[in-house]
């Protein structure tokens, strides 16, 4: 039940971000320079006269650039902007993909900003959907990589003790002690000047995943260390069970709980790690959005004080983390 | 309540009497630095924080008044020029004392200059004191008279003395002779071992937290009422690593002033300022400017075929001009600096009132003109809008920025969009600053870069290394191709000749021509010059804010609390 | 036991050695060096920069630099800061103490909160209180550390309850000993809170998960069936077994605290290693970075050592090895 709910929820979120090309009303890089930091626009069904409309609509926003207010926008209740469904995108100039079908949109020159805009007047809602692609999948893949490494190395260390244990645990301490994120700028030097979107993505996954195995491996080792002296493990060995069989059948299942909790924790950490990596030129580069980059914008005092909608990516992360948490919970109990 | 000013010393002191309103003595000013000063030793100081500390602890012979941007007497009360501008004889003030009470005379001056000029010391000041490739000669003519000889007439000779801190020979001679001058006066040294002629002296240094300066009781300036300056008892600098934290601590009342604040936080303060009674200063365009440049280095010694191919475009004047025409400078001013910046088309900013050439044209953004230029340069547009060169290859290049500078990163995002309207595909590459510098200055592995420069002085002389082909800061082509383009040859000769022109009008004409060439040829595409913005608590008086560093504290000796 | 500790100690030394070598290599491979920044200053010639590089030995190769450094460490000198023109150790010493004060307080505080919270959430597993706890922790996870720190500062500014950064008030020097302590604690509150907010979700999820695992185990079910009171069950039977992964985590968390506190120190102007290390990394002040990383490694190694010893004491099955 729980398991189904968690899986379904996660699948839904991933489908949403994968469908960004259809669900997002705008190109994530499209700038509306006359609408910087526009607040979210609410959708209405009932107008000021109390008339009900079947087609949802929004009110136009008027920008007052000379105003000193934090959010210099005014809602113009006399101008209704009706929302249309299944529209063709009309991108202006640049590399836009005009002619693509979108779920909803408004007739230009009006704009619909469901989650407001950023400093370039880019639609936050569209950026959130497109940005989820990079962040969610990079977080997931990197976590899988870290856990796989952690499981194998931690399992080996715990099971064989002595020399492998010393070497692996030494290496893990090394990996944990090094301030990786800050040392990785050395890596950038060996890469070509410009990295394409795919290259950046796999680089991100690789770097985060490869540097993060140490903690899970230590936790796995701790569990394995105690598991291998349990009576039934000793007994199984007495019956001539092979090392591999013992590991697979008895010991690794024990480590599962720890690993799943780790997974639920690593994904959030990895999604946020991208913020720092972008700083070193190893992340997703502008103008492509990612949830990490969007959160990084929030880490400025003037944004924090004035533009609350810039936290959209943070809010979007909460259900993701909860669902992973629930999934870990459910998987831990099911076997 | 007015406290009693400290008693004046013996009458034989040759004090400088300042004009202007007399202030109130006493009080403490709390300011901040982003990082700690590394040293109080002027011979090795590199970072801006250490340099700012040194301007408060030490004094120079001739000083540039940052409000007027002109020179005025300091430790030298007068000077005579002879030998066609090659010889300067300076008369020093008599009877002055260092902050430790020891007397000051010509020996200290000769000692200081010799120290800075000593190649063994490796002082970053040394290059500044070389004129015509030869070190300045310093001779003691009397206990209070010093002669300086230049290898050639030097237009900015008086300005050379600004910022050259005069050191106490009695404290540093030993270290100098033992070859240990670079270790002297570390910031952690005992405050008593450091002495200078500046308005303040070091009182306390708490690592990572604060630096406390106290009044120098022997300072050589008095106000019109013969009260000895400075007015303030103490200046405390708290170490606050980020600007956001600085703004918060300013609003919380921990800090009395913000020497320089970004446009976004300035807007925040502007909104909330009314209730708290801050004074905000919008000083207009400063000496800083942001620019974009293409890699025009001679890459024959490097293995970078891709960039060499693109240099075909970069070397075309039409290409650079088209890029300049297509960039929406107004959008940069509005979206990056919230209106607190000025668009520029050449390197001298409107903040440099003496030298800016007002006649430089300010062409409005025009995609049509840009496309016309590109057509002239042999570029064509495909049906889908992509710009291609004469070989049919699409025009695609990357712009390098450092994310630690939020403004320039934002600019790059705007420029990317601007140029896409010409059909150029621009990729943004961000890299931390050191990596960027290594690419721009050593490996030349970049296509275009956004950088900012701050002119240290209003005078064109320090810019010589930026605009001459052999200069060390000639960023777009540190390794020039030969033969030089004719405009570069002209830049070289203009920059060289202006150093020796003693007539201001003639020099101005030469430097105006330099600005015209930069505007026409766009070796670097100048974008905007941000305004200098600052804030203080209400009640701080005597301020003469400057667009040059140290914006508010350059006349710290005259600041007082009402 | 003694032999175990000794072998762990030699192991730790090896780790320190490896860390220093890797840090050195990474810094040397990174583009740019300390004097690179001078290149943008039109008033300094490239020749001057080259002379400075030579004077400070930056033109030497990696192995030579490293060997010279090892030699000087053996003589008790951790190296030299280019920026400060002074030995590294005095720079580090004061700041390391401040960082330790901050991080140990936060560590203690977070575990004191996390264990009861996690136990409580596990005990109410599946109930709505457990869900609320998950929501709170998931929300904390979604906020980057720097943002938490900045938001706390903004809050301090609005309310005036806490100082807006720093470690002491300017007036602290004139205060008596008791008042100075109070001043310190008052300044410590916000950075500790920010650190705890970052650590807490991780710890709570681990505690909760470890407990659930044990609560589900057959022997506990059996014990419950035998009517052992829940409190006694928890303390005598559940916690000791659940402690194992938590102790490992505790060891690890000591070492990662430094990297966690680095940015918080910078945002909250706490005079610890953070601001020094960050600037040193950006400026390539190599020896400062190496020494600071070694310092952090020393914490980590000590933490892991402590955890291993604790595991020995707590878990008899490991002792039997």
């Amino acid at each position: 039940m729980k398991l189904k709910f968690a899986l379904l929820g996660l699948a839904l979120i991933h489908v949403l971000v994968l469908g960004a090309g259809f669900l997002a009303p705008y190109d994530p890089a499209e700038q509306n320079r006359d609408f910087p930091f526009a607040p979210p626009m609410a959708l209405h069904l009932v107008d000021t006269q109390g008339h009900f409309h079947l087609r949802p609509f929004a009110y136009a926003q008027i920008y007052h650039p000379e105003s000193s207010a934090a959010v210099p926008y005014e809602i113009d209740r006399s101008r209704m902007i009706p929302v249309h469904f299944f529209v063709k995108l009309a991108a202006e100039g640049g590399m836009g993909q005009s002619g693509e079908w979108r779920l909803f949109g408004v007739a230009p020159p009006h704009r619909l900003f469901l989650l407001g805009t950023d400093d370039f007047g880019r639609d936050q809602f569209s950026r959130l959907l497109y940005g989820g692609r990079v962040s969610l999948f990079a977080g997931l893949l990197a976590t899988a990589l870290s856990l796989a490494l952690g499981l194998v190395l931690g399992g080996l260390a715990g099971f064989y003790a002595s020399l492998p244990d010393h070497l692996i645990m030494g290496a893990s301490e090394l990996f944990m002690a090094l301030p990786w994120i800050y040392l990785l700028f050395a890596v950038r030097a060996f890469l070509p000047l410009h990295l394409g979107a795919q290259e950046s993505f796999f680089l991100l996954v690789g770097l985060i995943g490869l540097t993060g195995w140490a903690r899970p491996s230590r936790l796995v080792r701790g569990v394995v260390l105690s598991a291998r002296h349990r009576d039934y493990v000793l007994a199984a060995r007495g019956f001539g069970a092979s090392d591999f069989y013992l590991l697979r059948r008895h010991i690794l299942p024990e480590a599962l709980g720890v690993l799943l909790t780790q997974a639920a924790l690593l994904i959030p950490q990895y999604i946020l790690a991208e913020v720092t990596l972008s700083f070193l030129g190893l992340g997703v580069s502008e103008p492509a959005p990612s949830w990490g980059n969007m959160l990084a914008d929030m880490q400025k005092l003037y944004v924090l004080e004035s533009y609350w909608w810039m936290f959209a990516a943070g809010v979007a992360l909460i259900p993701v983390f909860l669902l992973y948490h629930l999934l870990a919970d459910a998987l831990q109990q099911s076997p | 309540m007015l406290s009693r000013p400290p008693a004046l010393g013996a009458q034989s002191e040759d004090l400088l009497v300042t004009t202007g309103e007399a202030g109130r003595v006493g009080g403490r000013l709390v300011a901040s630095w982003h990082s700690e000063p590394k040293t109080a030793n002027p011979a090795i100081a590199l970072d801006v924080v250490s340099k700012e500390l040194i301007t408060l602890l030490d004094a120079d012979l001739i000083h540039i008044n940052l409000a007027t941007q002109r020179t005025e007497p300091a430790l030298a009360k007068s000077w005579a020029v002879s030998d066609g501008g090659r010889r300067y004889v300076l008369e020093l003030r008599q009877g002055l004392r260092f902050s430790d009470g020891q007397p000051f005379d010509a020996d200290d001056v000769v000692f200081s200059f010799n120290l800075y000029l000593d190649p063994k010391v490796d002082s970053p000041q040394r290059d500044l004191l070389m004129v015509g490739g030869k070190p300045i000669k310093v001779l003691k003519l009397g206990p209070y008279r010093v002669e300086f000889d230049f290898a050639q007439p030097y237009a900015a000779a008086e300005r050379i003395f600004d910022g050259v801190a005069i050191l106490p020979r009695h404290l540093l001679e030993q270290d100098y002779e033992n070859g240990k001058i670079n270790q002297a006066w570390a910031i952690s040294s005992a405050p008593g071992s450091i002495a200078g002629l500046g308005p303040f002296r070091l009182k306390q240094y708490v690592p990572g937290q604060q630096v406390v300066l106290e009044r120098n009781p022997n300072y050589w300036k008095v106000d019109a009422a013969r009260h000895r300056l400075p007015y303030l008892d103490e200046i405390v600098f708290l170490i606050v690593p980020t600007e956001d934290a600085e703004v918060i601590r300013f609003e919380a009342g921990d800090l009395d002033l913000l020497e320089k604040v970004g446009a976004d936080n300035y807007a925040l303060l502007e909104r909330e300022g009314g209730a708290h009674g801050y004074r905000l200063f919008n000083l207009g365009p400063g000496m800083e400017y942001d620019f974009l440049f293409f890699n025009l280095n001679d890459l024959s010694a490097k293995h970078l075929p891709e960039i060499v191919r693109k240099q075909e475009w970069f070397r075309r004047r039409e290409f650079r001009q088209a890029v300049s025409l297509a960039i929406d400078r107004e959008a940069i001013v509005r979206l990056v600096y919230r209106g607190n910046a000025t668009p520029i088309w050449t390197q001298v900013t409107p903040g440099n009132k003496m030298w800016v050439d007002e006649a430089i044209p300010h062409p409005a953004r025009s995609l049509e003109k840009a496309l016309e230029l590109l057509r002239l340069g042999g570029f064509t547009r495909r049906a889908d809008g992509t710009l291609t060169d004469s070989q049919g290859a699409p025009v695609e290049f990357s712009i390098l920025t450092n994310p630690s500078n939020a403004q320039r990163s934002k600019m790059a995002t705007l420029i990317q969009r601007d140029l896409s309207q010409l059909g150029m595909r621009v990729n943004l590459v961000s890299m931390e600053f050191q990596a960027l510098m290594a690419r721009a200055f050593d490996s030349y592995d970049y296509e275009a870069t956004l950088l900012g420069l701050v002119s240290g002085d209003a005078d064109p002389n320090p810019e010589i290394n930026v605009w001459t082909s052999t200069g060390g800061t000639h960023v777009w082509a540190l390794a020039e191709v030969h033969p030089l383009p004719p405009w570069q040859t002209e830049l070289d000769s203009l920059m060289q000749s202006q150093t020796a022109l003693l007539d201001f009008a003639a020099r101005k004409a030469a430097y105006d021509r330099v600005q015209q060439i930069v505007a026409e040829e766009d070796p670097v595409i100048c974008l905007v010059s941000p305004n200098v913005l600052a804030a203080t608590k209400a009640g701080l008086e005597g301020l003469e804010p400057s667009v040059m560093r140290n914006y508010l504290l350059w006349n710290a000796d005259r600041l007082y609390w009402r | 036991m003694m032999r175990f500790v000794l072998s762990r100690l030699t192991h730790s030394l090896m780790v320190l050695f490896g860390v220093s070598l890797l840090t050195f290599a990474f810094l040397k491979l990174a583009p740019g060096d300390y004097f690179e920044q001078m290149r943008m200053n039109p008033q300094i010639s490239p020749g001057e920069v080259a002379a400075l590089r030579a004077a400070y030995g930056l033109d030497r190769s990696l192995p030579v630099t490293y060997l010279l450094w090892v030699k000087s460490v053996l003589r008790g000198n951790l190296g030299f800061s280019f920026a400060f023109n002074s030995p590294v150790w005095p720079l580090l010493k004061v700041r390391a103490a401040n960082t330790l004060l901050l991080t140990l307080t936060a560590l203690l505080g977070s575990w004191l909160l996390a264990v009861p919270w996690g136990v409580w959430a596990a005990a109410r597993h599946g109930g709505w209180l457990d869900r609320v706890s998950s929501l709170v922790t998931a929300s904390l996870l979604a906020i980057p550390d720097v943002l938490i720190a900045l938001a706390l500062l903004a809050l301090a500014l609005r309310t005036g309850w806490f100082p807006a950064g720093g470690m002491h008030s300017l007036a602290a020097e004139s205060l008596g000993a008791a008042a100075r302590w109070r001043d310190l604690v008052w300044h410590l509150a916000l950075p500790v809170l920010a650190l705890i907010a970052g650590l807490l979700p991780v710890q709570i999820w681990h505690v909760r998960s470890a407990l659930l695992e044990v609560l589900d185990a057959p022997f506990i079910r059996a014990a419950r069936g035998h009517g052992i009171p829940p409190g006694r069950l928890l303390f005598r039977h559940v916690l000791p077994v659940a402690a194992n992964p938590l102790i490992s985590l505790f060891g690890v968390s000591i070492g990662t605290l430094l990297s966690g506190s680095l940015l918080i120190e910078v945002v909250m102007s706490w005079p610890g290693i953070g601001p020094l290390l960050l600037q040193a990394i950006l400026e390539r002040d190599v020896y400062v970075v190496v020494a600071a990383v070694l310092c952090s490694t020393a914490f980590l190694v000590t933490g892991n050592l402590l955890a291993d010893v604790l595991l020995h004491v707590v878990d008899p099955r490991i002792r039997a090895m």
Side-chain angles (χ1 to χ4, degrees), chain A residues 2 166 170 173-174 176-178 185 215 226 230 254 261-262 272 298-299 305 322 325 329 332-333, chain C residues 11 19 22-23 26 30 125 134-135 141 144 147 158 206 208-209 213 244 249 252 281 297 300 304 317:
Chain A
K2 241 166 141 187
H166 272 281
E173 276 176 321
L174 210 85
M176 276 190 286
L178 286 171
F185 51 66
R215 187 193 273 243
S226 62
R230 294 240 165 108
E254 292 252 338
T261 314
Q262 267 297 300
L272 295 187
M298 193 74 193
Q299 300 179 1
E305 295 256 353
L322 272 176
H325 185 43
D329 229 30
Q332 196 182 343
Q333 286 178 328
Chain C
H11 168 89
V19 163
L22 273 178
T23 313
F26 269 108
H125 177 229
S134 298
L135 183 68
L141 275 179
L147 187 53
R158 289 279 145 71
H206 273 291
R208 181 176 167 280
S209 142
E213 184 112 329
N244 179 325
L249 188 72
V252 172
I281 288 173
T297 314
L300 177 88
N304 281 342
R317 293 173 307 219

Side-chain angles (χ1 to χ4, degrees), chain A residues 13-71:
Chain A
I13 292 177
H14 284 79
V15 166
L16 278 179
V17 301
L18 280 178
F22 175 62
L23 297 172
Y26 300 109
D27 178 333
E30 183 179 332
Q31 301 175 1
N32 298 286
R33 294 186 184 174
D34 295 324
F35 292 104
F37 288 123
M41 292 159 80
L43 289 181
H44 303 266
L45 288 171
V46 180
D47 64 20
T48 43
Q49 269 92 46
H51 297 304
F52 178 81
H53 298 253
L54 204 57
R55 181 178 291 288
F57 65 91
Y59 289 116
Q61 288 181 328
I62 305 171
Y63 175 44
H64 297 291
E66 64 296 330
S67 156
S68 66
V71 183

Side-chain angles (χ1 to χ4, degrees), chain A residues 189 191-193, chain B residues 295 297-312 314 438-440 442-447:
Chain A
L191 297 170
L193 180 60
Chain B
N295 182 351
N297 283 292
D298 178 5
L299 297 179
S300 51
K302 313 262 177 185
H303 186 69
L304 298 163
E306 183 65 12
I307 299 172
V308 170
R309 182 176 71 83
K310 294 179 182 179
Q311 280 185 325
E312 276 289 294
F314 303 157
R439 280 183 192 256
D442 298 324
S443 68
Y444 307 148
D445 185 4
Y446 69 98
E447 289 166 356

